[in-house]
């Protein structure tokens, strides 16, 4: 991203952090705020060189070896080591984005605004209040935007339209005690964040860091969760399952699940990746302190809701879904296992994730 930006190029798909490698982006088939128009990262990869478990280095393309290509896309690094890749970048005129903000009253308005903005903007996402309840259930702040043109910048910035300063502004010391992030602190924080947002604002210029990677501006931000850390959970359910999205917000609110980083957005068409996460539908990402009371039960309830709705969880953020539940979420899992057995019969490549889920 840093190398291409001065020449007017940006990554085609950016996840919520810039702390990701190209190989990792392919292995997790990462998505961003523009999935509804751009798809996942691997859709922009014409080829990559894969170091196979046998030691052979092979150039893989979606046309020359589609089975291996789409097993590697989202395959969590279990088909081989990605040694190099060709990526088609996106042309941009500046390093700023023109961003519209809308503060919504409830989950119904949130989903309506997201659907409307997906038709008008290249990048769209909602931050949602996980603890809101009653008439305010699912209230959110929706931000949508596109890269600004040179004429959109103030005159003083046009001489350096690709200025990019990605360094962290603040650092978090390793001093936070257990329990600091809880329903008692996240509730007021959510309220303040929601009230801080304008009811409606158009055309605000934002930097790449602020719009795409806000947490990267705080070095070691994860330390605020204390020594136990936090659990991430992200699901996607198909369009037509809006009731399941609403029900998930009800379950989280009822359980007083203190997720400050709660992100709702819409996916476009998925790709052929055997274990690729996105499908057309609604995706919700959550971060909970690991020591949240009743968290295991809440996540089990969400699993059942997601399976019943025909959805799935994101393997790149998973640390606890049971293997039998995963089989109900990924219908092509058997194909992946068969290819893995042929490619790596001695199981040279393995991870905690692969052992737990028998990948």
């Amino acid at each position: 991203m840093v190398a291409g930006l001065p020449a007017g190029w940006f990554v085609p798909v950016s996840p919520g952090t810039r702390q990701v490698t190209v190989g990792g982006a392919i292995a997790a088939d990462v998505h961003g705020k523009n999935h509804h128009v751009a798809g996942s990262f691997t859709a922009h990869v014409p080829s990559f060189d894969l170091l196979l478990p046998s030691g052979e280095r092979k150039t893989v393309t979606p046309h020359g070896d589609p089975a291996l290509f789409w097993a590697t896309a989202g395959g969590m690094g279990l088909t081989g080591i990605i040694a190099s890749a060709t990526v088609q970048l996106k042309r941009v005129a500046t390093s700023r984005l023109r961003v519209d903000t809308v503060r919504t009253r409830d989950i119904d308005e949130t989903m309506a605004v997201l659907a409307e903005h997906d038709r008008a903007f290249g990048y769209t996402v909602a931050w949602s209040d996980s603890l809101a309840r009653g008439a305010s259930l699912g209230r959110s702040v929706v931000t949508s935007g596109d890269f600004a043109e040179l004429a959109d910048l103030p005159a003083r910035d046009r001489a350096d339209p690709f200025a990019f300063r990605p360094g962290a502004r603040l650092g978090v010391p390793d001093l936070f005690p257990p329990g600091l992030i809880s329903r008692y602190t996240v509730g007021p924080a959510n309220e303040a964040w929601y009230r801080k947002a304008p009811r409606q604002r158009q055309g605000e210029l934002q930097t790449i860091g602020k719009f795409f990677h806000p947490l990267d501006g705080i070095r070691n931000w994860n330390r605020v969760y204390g020594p136990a850390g936090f659990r991430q959970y992200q699901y996607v359910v198909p369009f037509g399952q809006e009731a399941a999205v609403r029900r998930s917000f009800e379950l989280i609110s009822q359980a007083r699940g203190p997720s400050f980083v709660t992100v709702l957005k819409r996916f476009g068409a998925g790709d052929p990746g055997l274990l690729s996460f996105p499908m057309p539908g609604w995706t919700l990402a959550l971060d909970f302190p690991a020591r949240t009371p009743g968290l295991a039960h809440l996540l089990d309830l969400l699993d059942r809701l997601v399976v019943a709705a025909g959805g799935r969880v994101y393997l790149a953020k998973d640390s606890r879904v049971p293997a039998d539940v995963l089989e109900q979420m990924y219908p092509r899992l058997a194909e992946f296992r068969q290819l893995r057995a042929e490619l790596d019969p001695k199981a040279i490549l393995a991870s905690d994730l692969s052992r737990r889920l028998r990948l």
Side-chain angles (χ1 to χ4, degrees):
M1 179 170 64
V2 177
L5 196 56
W9 296 98
F10 187 65
V11 287
V13 171
S14 177
T17 175
R18 64 178 177 270
Q19 311 298 335
V20 60
T21 64
V22 171
I26 295 170
D29 200 17
V30 298
H31 55 271
K33 299 177 181 180
N34 62 340
H35 189 276
H36 59 290
V37 295
S40 300
F41 189 87
T42 314
H44 306 273
V45 177
S47 69
F48 52 77
D49 278 11
L50 192 66
L51 185 61
L52 300 172
S54 65
E56 175 190 359
R57 180 166 174 154
K58 183 175 184 179
T59 298
V60 185
T61 70
H63 302 294
D65 196 342
L68 183 55
F69 187 94
W70 292 114
T72 303
M76 302 305 294
L78 296 172
T79 60
I81 298 172
I82 298 170
S84 64
T86 301
V87 182
Q88 177 59 61
L89 299 180
K90 169 189 174 74
R91 175 66 79 179
V92 296
T94 74
S95 63
R96 303 289 187 90
L97 292 102
R98 285 178 54 86
V99 180
D100 284 11
T101 300
V102 176
R103 191 175 67 189
T104 62
R105 294 182 297 270
D106 54 32
I107 186 59
D108 292 330
E109 185 183 9
T110 299
M111 289 194 288
V113 171
L114 283 171
E116 177 186 354
H117 282 207
D118 269 6
R119 293 189 290 269
F121 296 91
Y123 300 95
T124 306
V125 69
W127 168 90
S128 301
D129 185 351
S130 68
L131 294 175
R133 53 174 61 186
S136 297
L137 183 79
R139 66 181 184 178
S140 303
V141 178
V142 179
T143 50
S144 308
D146 288 292
F147 273 91
E149 298 297 322
L150 184 62
D152 296 323
L153 300 187
R156 65 179 182 276
D157 294 336
R158 292 176 191 171
D160 187 11
F162 299 110
F164 179 60
R165 300 173 182 85
R169 297 183 301 274
L170 299 170
V172 176
D174 191 13
L175 301 173
F176 286 88
L180 180 65
I181 303 297
S182 69
R183 66 191 63 174
Y184 304 108
T185 55
V186 170
N190 281 2
E191 179 72 26
W193 191 260
Y194 178 76
R195 297 296 175 190
K196 169 180 170 290
R199 180 68 182 89
Q200 193 162 14
R201 180 174 58 200
Q202 295 180 331
E204 179 194 16
L205 288 175
Q206 292 188 8
T207 64
I208 285 173
K210 181 176 181 180
F211 186 75
F212 289 106
H213 318 123
L215 287 178
D216 285 351
I218 306 172
R219 188 172 57 256
N220 299 321
W221 60 266
N222 55 296
R223 288 178 175 174
V224 301
Y225 287 94
F230 64 100
R231 287 191 183 272
Q232 293 190 303
Y233 185 91
Q234 184 172 0
Y235 72 71
V236 59
V237 295
F239 291 128
Q241 293 292 334
E242 287 74 17
V245 177
R246 188 176 296 104
R247 179 58 180 157
S248 70
F249 273 94
E250 291 173 349
L251 290 172
I252 296 162
S253 177
Q254 290 167 6
R256 308 307 290 154
S259 171
F260 179 72
V261 183
T262 303
V263 176
L264 179 67
K265 56 180 179 272
R266 290 159 49 97
F267 281 155
D271 61 36
L274 300 185
L275 296 184
S276 184
F277 171 64
M279 67 168 74
W282 300 94
T283 179
L284 180 68
L286 303 141
D287 288 1
F288 296 109
R291 291 180 174 173
T292 299
L295 180 59
H297 178 63
L298 171 60
L299 297 182
D300 287 344
L301 290 177
L302 291 175
D303 282 347
R304 291 197 284 271
L305 179 70
V306 169
V307 167
R312 52 190 176 230
V313 299
Y314 191 18
L315 287 177
K317 294 184 178 180
D318 176 61
S319 62
R320 37 70 56 196
V321 71
D324 60 327
V325 174
L326 187 81
E327 291 175 354
Q328 301 174 65
M329 295 176 170
Y330 283 86
R332 304 187 69 185
L333 181 57
E335 294 178 57
F336 181 82
R337 286 172 170 162
Q338 180 178 346
L339 185 144
R340 270 262 293 160
E342 296 170 357
L343 195 67
D344 189 10
K346 295 182 180 180
I348 293 172
L349 293 176
S351 64
D352 288 344
L353 182 82
S354 72
R355 286 185 283 266
R356 173 168 56 86
L357 296 176
R358 301 191 294 275
L359 298 177

